[in-house]
Structure formats: C-alpha cells, structure tokens
Amino acid sequence: MRTSNVNQSAANTFRRKTRIAGATLLSAFCLLGMTSCEDDDEPILTTYNQQDRNFAMTSSQYLNAQISFGQLALSNGEDDSVLEYGTMLSEENTQSRAELESILADTDVEISGEISAAMQAKYDELEMLTGEDFDMAFVNFQIELLDDNISMFENQNDNGENNNLKTFSDKALGKVKDQREDAVLVKAEIELEDI
C-alpha cells in the first residue's frame, strides 16, 4: 500500500506541476496576444483625415506667404539683419514647401500655390514701405505671424493622422520657433541702432 501512496503522491505532484506549467503557458500566450493587439497602432502613412487635409492647405498658404515676405524683405529692407532674416526666411520656407510637396506627391491631398487673402493684404501693406519704416513694420509683423501660426503646427501634431505629415509638422514647428527667436533678435538690433 505504501507503494501505491508513493505512486499516487508522485502522480499528484506531476499533475500539479503540469497544471502550473499549462497555466503559465496559457498566460504567456494571452500576454503575447494582448501585446500583438497593441501593435495594431502602426504608423499611418497612406491615409489622411480632415485635419491632415486642412493642415496641408493652410500650411502651404503659410509657407507661400513666408517665401514672399522673405523676398519682400530683400527688396524693401534696409538693415543688414532684416536682409539676412529675409534670406533665411525665404530659403527655409522654400525647403519646407518642397518637403511638403514631396510628402503629398501622388496623393489626393491638395496644397495651395497661393497665399491667403489676409496675408496678401498684409503683403500689399508692407510693400508700400521701404527702409527703416519697412524694417520695423516687417519684424513686428513676423513676430505676430509666427506667434499666431505655432498653434497650426501644434494642432497637426496633436490631431493629424498621417505620420509623415505629423513628422513634417513637428520639424516645421521647430523652424517656426527658431524663426520667431531670430525675429525678436532682429527687432532688438534695430531698436539698438535707433538709440
């Protein structure tokens, strides 16, 4: 009888270990399954939500305007810092525009080749000025414009769907913030020269 108790005890131990191993294996499969479900959040590269489409249009108008304003600074500005800023503004926004076009090539997402009516009105206003008058009006406008447009890029980063467009927006946001800092420095230089 003792032999059968020993065999029974060994059999019970084996069953218990088998159940524990089975439960562990089942838990591992469940965790693996849950992890693979989380991987369904892969980057979206081929679809564009309405936010993406709106951003493509407004950001292209903004970039077009900044290219135009940079070129206007080169023709109407007087101060060296304004001329340098205008060159940088035109070049950086031309690069950003090319990048945006590249991202949206072969898609049905539209971008603009124009600037908004509000930007055109401001351009026309600044175009009437030259020299020192232009320099100060231009740099003040740039600070205001850049402040106003930071939210456009932040909104895309938060609410856009297409990851390529969000990456572009994040990079452009960095440039906008840098351009704003540069505009503040240009304004300080102009004010120092007037003292």
Side-chain angles (χ1 to χ4, degrees), residues 180-194:
R180 189 201 179 282
E181 287 179 18
D182 291 346
V184 169
L185 291 174
V186 170
K187 181 177 180 177
E189 287 179 32
I190 293 171
E191 289 173 342
L192 281 174
E193 290 172 7
D194 287 345

Side-chain angles (χ1 to χ4, degrees), residues 42-91:
E42 291 182 21
I44 298 173
L45 304 174
T46 58
T47 60
Y48 300 88
N49 65 11
Q50 192 58 49
Q51 167 60 36
D52 293 329
R53 293 174 187 281
N54 293 342
F55 173 75
M57 184 59 69
T58 55
S59 66
S60 60
Q61 289 177 334
Y62 165 81
L63 294 170
N64 295 337
Q66 286 293 65
I67 293 165
S68 296
F69 286 124
Q71 292 167 348
L72 183 61
L74 292 174
S75 64
N76 289 22
E78 179 177 277
D79 193 275
D80 287 342
S81 61
V82 171
L83 298 176
E84 288 172 20
Y85 184 82
T87 300
M88 176 274 301
L89 198 62
S90 184
E91 289 175 357

Side-chain angles (χ1 to χ4, degrees), residues 116-194:
S116 70
M119 290 298 100
Q120 185 62 54
K122 191 62 183 182
Y123 181 92
D124 294 344
E125 179 184 320
L126 287 172
E127 189 178 33
M128 305 296 277
L129 304 173
T130 58
E132 292 177 8
D133 293 336
F134 173 85
D135 289 347
M136 190 52 81
F138 170 75
V139 76
N140 283 332
F141 168 70
Q142 276 298 306
I143 293 169
E144 180 183 322
L145 176 65
L146 293 163
D147 280 341
D148 290 346
N149 281 280
I150 286 174
S151 62
M152 172 180 58
F153 295 100
E154 289 173 338
N155 187 35
Q156 175 61 21
N157 293 347
D158 294 340
N159 301 308
E161 180 175 79
N162 183 278
N163 282 336
N164 285 339
L165 209 49
K166 288 174 76 168
T167 299
F168 165 79
S169 175
D170 192 51
K171 183 177 174 184
L173 176 60
K175 286 183 182 181
V176 168
K177 289 179 177 179
D178 290 345
Q179 290 167 5
R180 189 201 179 282
E181 287 179 18
D182 291 346
V184 169
L185 291 174
V186 170
K187 181 177 180 177
E189 287 179 32
I190 293 171
E191 289 173 342
L192 281 174
E193 290 172 7
D194 287 345

